Amino acid sequence: MEVKAIDFGGEDKNVSTVLREYAEHVHELNHRWWYDKDGKKLQLNFGERMQLILSEIAEAMEGYRKDLDDDHLPWYKSIHVELADGVIRLLDCAGAYEWALDYGKVDFLIPPEETNVAARLLNLSDFVIRIAHNRLDRDPRTWLVDNLAYHFIDQSFEIAISTGCHDFWQVVYEKLCYNQTRADHQYSNREQPGGKKF
């Protein structure tokens, strides 16, 4: 499947609509993580999905702390690619679970005007944990998940820009392209010892 770049153009679409459509596309691209090689839908753990997003935030922190270039896309800083990975994983979940990705007021653990990047990354972790808490407790406030997911994407973008990334959505696009050809994402390699089982 061809990877599409996100397109915010057009006056008839608001940001939430664009993000929802892109989430559907990202979910289609990530089909192999939701279905087995025979096309049977996998029974996946929601907490596991959220923990995978948290792992990307931790990797973004390490990349920032050590001022690393990315291993896979070395023309970008690690923090930017790991933030893109987190957004990709969240968009994948949004597509799978049909989240609306609407803007709405949410509480920030760290004030958004904070300049310390490491502290601002904590907001991303908090959003994910609150999504998990909401879903695992079967909280009827589905709008809260939509709002938290929206702010996760928005704040990832803001952190990337504030640390020198001039086109965060290009990083997301290039990482999606790269992921389509990764050997360690193929079914055969995932079945090997040490392979990515989920």
Side-chain angles (χ1 to χ4, degrees), residues 22 70 73 75-85 88 160 164-179:
Y22 204 59
D70 188 65
L73 305 180
W75 48 95
Y76 292 122
K77 299 305 282 183
S78 175
I79 183 176
H80 304 141
V81 177
E82 299 302 344
L83 287 170
D85 279 336
I88 288 166
C165 180
H166 303 294
D167 191 350
F168 180 65
W169 287 106
Q170 178 65 25
V171 181
V172 171
Y173 169 74
E174 290 184 40
K175 191 62 196 302
L176 281 167
C177 291
Y178 176 81
N179 287 347

Side-chain angles (χ1 to χ4, degrees), residues 1 44 56 87 129-130 145 173:
M1 173 181 288
L44 299 174
E56 305 297 354
V87 166
I129 290 167
R130 287 161 65 194
V145 169
Y173 169 74

Side-chain angles (χ1 to χ4, degrees), residues 5-31:
I6 197 166
D7 181 6
F8 287 101
E11 295 179 9
D12 58 331
K13 291 184 181 178
N14 64 29
V15 172
S16 292
T17 301
V18 171
L19 289 175
R20 278 196 297 275
E21 290 175 356
Y22 204 59
E24 291 171 10
H25 175 59
V26 170
H27 184 54
E28 289 173 3
L29 292 170
N30 285 307
H31 183 271

Side-chain angles (χ1 to χ4, degrees), residues 35-50:
Y35 294 84
D36 68 18
K37 61 185 176 185
D38 298 318
K40 182 180 174 188
K41 187 161 185 167
L42 300 169
Q43 296 300 313
L44 299 174
N45 181 288
F46 185 77
E48 176 183 286
R49 302 290 97 191
M50 296 299 99

Side-chain angles (χ1 to χ4, degrees), residues 49-101:
R49 302 290 97 191
M50 296 299 99
Q51 185 60 44
L52 288 168
I53 300 172
L54 287 174
S55 72
E56 305 297 354
I57 301 166
E59 290 173 350
M61 172 65 180
E62 283 302 286
Y64 178 71
R65 187 166 77 112
K66 297 176 182 175
D67 192 30
L68 299 174
D69 294 329
D70 188 65
D71 291 338
H72 304 291
L73 305 180
W75 48 95
Y76 292 122
K77 299 305 282 183
S78 175
I79 183 176
H80 304 141
V81 177
E82 299 302 344
L83 287 170
D85 279 336
V87 166
I88 288 166
R89 287 193 183 279
L90 186 129
L91 287 170
D92 184 22
C93 288
Y97 300 119
E98 299 180 349
W99 296 343
L101 297 173

Side-chain angles (χ1 to χ4, degrees), residues 107-132:
D107 293 329
F108 279 67
L109 188 64
I110 305 296
E113 61 273 10
E114 171 64 60
T115 57
N116 184 286
V117 172
R120 291 177 68 195
L121 288 169
L122 193 57
N123 278 331
L124 301 183
S125 297
D126 180 53
F127 296 151
V128 174
I129 290 167
R130 287 161 65 194
I131 290 169

